[in-house]
Amino acid sequence: MPASQASAGHLLQLIRSGQATTRGELQQATGLSRSTVGHRLDQLFGAGWLRETSGAPGAAGNGAATSGRPSAHLEFDSSHAVVLAADLETRHAQAAVLDLTGRVLAQRAAPLLVADGPEQVLDTLARWFSPLLDEAGADAARVCGIGLSVPGPVDWATGRVVQPPIMPGWDQYPIPERLQHAYTRHVAPGGPPVPVLVDNDANLMAYAEQRHHFPDCAAFLLVKVSTGIGAGVVVDGELYRGIDGGAGDIGHIRLHDAPEELCMCGSYGCLAAVASGRALAGRLTAQGTPTTSGSDMRRHLAAGHPDAVRLAREAGQRVGEVLVTVVTMLNPGVLVLAGDLAGTPFLAGVRELLYQRAMPRTTAHLRVVTSQLGDQAALTGAGTTVVEHLYAPDRADARLAARDVG
Ligand SMILES: [Zn+2]
């Protein structure tokens, strides 16, 4: 793109990323004239997306001149709108109101069965948003978008789940349209349609962890092990989804030595049939400790139940077997383990296998750690995805243009 074509959306991106935070720096970065920069900034100020701070707390260290009149610093006004986010698990869900930096303003969690089907579940989630907005002190007019995390493979372009093993009744269901509809009905009657973005939980968790805790890591991998097993890959700051959104769906890789283990997907011998929270709950139950779910497993692990600890370590080894190949392909700098099983025993099992079997060159600089965001990761990722989508240069320009027309 020739610099002279830098739009208001591009200026916003430079400001948000911290690459240019004064009018002078924006002129320098884009080659635009002072008056053109001023005109584009007026558009951004007009929309309420920017604010100006003199003295610029937080701008220290960027080499700003110390002599003369301090130039006003520009920053993204992360409080001008809010995002709604929901994280749907198999047996419970969370919903939240977040500001545009991903900070949670109000949140709730409650049991909600994904197996009740999309109609009922999406309607329930939409109903949760109204009291949450009240609690956050935000009205519906400030909602810029909704992000939803689901425990299944998603076609990113349509927001529909595709052949989800643990979401009965959801295959190809028009989630964005129906959530939008339910939201309008319960929260904002007569309001404009709000964009809804849907993605897979492991993807969103990976995106959130990378953005918020490992922003400098150019090859990043997160593996979630709860009821199922999935992975998210972030390369150069962007989620890598693959051609059909199937990248990272490692839970259904067949192991060579478990032909008798039936998986939720209908196949035998999948990694998830052997090493998921659901598989371990079944095994622990068979060994005399009734355990119904991955979250039950988590409770046993937290209590140090010896059988649970041993099973989690073994599951870590099984997942590690598959990750040897994944890590060799990606050569990531960070591998985050997340989900119900991701505690110390599981981590130890993964590490053991990786460092034993992967080439030293692919693991020399690899950090294998547990999740920093924990149960907030998918919610944060859902919110962050909406913000990055809506304020990306092209999209931001289109929204500014629509605003001028309206
Ligand atoms: Zn399977």
Side-chain angles (χ1 to χ4, degrees), residues 209-210 213-222 232-237 323 326-337 351 354-355 360-370:
E209 291 278 358
Q210 194 274 336
H213 290 289
F214 304 95
D216 299 327
C217 181
F220 178 92
L221 177 64
L222 176 139
V233 179
V234 183
V235 175
D236 293 335
L323 290 181
V326 175
V327 160
T328 305
M329 286 296 293
L330 291 176
N331 188 201
V334 177
L335 161 59
V336 169
L337 302 174
R351 279 189 173 145
L354 273 185
Y355 293 123
R361 194 172 160 201
T362 55
T363 53
H365 298 105
L366 173 64
R367 292 168 62 195
V368 186
V369 296
T370 50

Side-chain angles (χ1 to χ4, degrees), residues 57-271:
N62 68 355
T66 52
S67 62
R69 191 170 67 92
S71 50
H73 281 262
L74 302 157
E75 60 182 38
F76 183 54
D77 184 343
S78 60
S79 64
H80 76 267
V82 295
V83 185
L84 300 174
D87 169 20
L88 194 54
E89 295 260 2
T90 46
R91 300 164 68 90
H92 67 273
Q94 298 190 85
V97 180
L98 300 99
D99 74 9
L100 301 183
T101 64
R103 192 166 64 94
V104 171
L105 304 175
Q107 180 172 356
R108 85 172 269 183
L112 187 61
L113 294 177
V114 77
D116 284 343
E119 198 86 27
Q120 192 177 328
V121 167
L122 296 175
D123 197 71
T124 302
L125 285 179
R127 286 170 190 273
W128 288 2
F129 287 136
S130 205
L132 283 170
L133 282 166
D134 289 344
E135 195 186 324
D139 60 44
R142 281 176 60 206
V143 174
C144 65
I146 304 175
L148 175 66
S149 166
V150 296
V154 172
D155 173 32
W156 171 246
T158 63
R160 298 181 180 206
V161 291
V162 185
Q163 299 175 357
I166 54 178
M167 298 178 73
W170 290 74
D171 189 19
Q172 293 294 346
Y173 188 85
I175 298 175
E177 295 82 354
R178 293 315 295 251
L179 183 55
Q180 192 174 65
H181 178 78
Y183 171 78
T184 304
R185 191 163 131 228
H186 293 304
V187 185
V194 172
V196 175
L197 297 180
V198 184
D199 205 349
N200 165 262
D201 52 4
N203 276 354
L204 292 173
M205 293 165 79
Y207 193 57
E209 291 278 358
Q210 194 274 336
R211 283 277 157 136
H212 292 275
H213 290 289
F214 304 95
D216 299 327
C217 181
F220 178 92
L221 177 64
L222 176 139
V223 175
K224 181 193 181 190
V225 187
S226 286
T227 302
I229 299 177
V233 179
V234 183
V235 175
D236 293 335
E238 298 296 332
L239 263 172
Y240 180 79
R241 295 190 172 86
I243 300 299
D244 293 307
D249 205 358
I250 60 169
H252 305 282
I253 292 176
R254 300 251 196 113
L255 303 176
H256 66 91
D257 58 353
E260 72 291 349
E261 302 284 355
L262 177 62
C263 182
M264 294 280 287
C265 74
S267 295
Y268 286 87
C270 295
L271 179 63

Side-chain angles (χ1 to χ4, degrees), residues 223 225 229 250 271 275 315-324 346 350:
V223 175
V225 187
I229 299 177
I250 60 169
L271 179 63
Q317 293 168 339
R318 297 317 298 262
V319 173
E321 281 176 41
V322 168
L323 290 181
V324 169
F346 185 84
V350 169

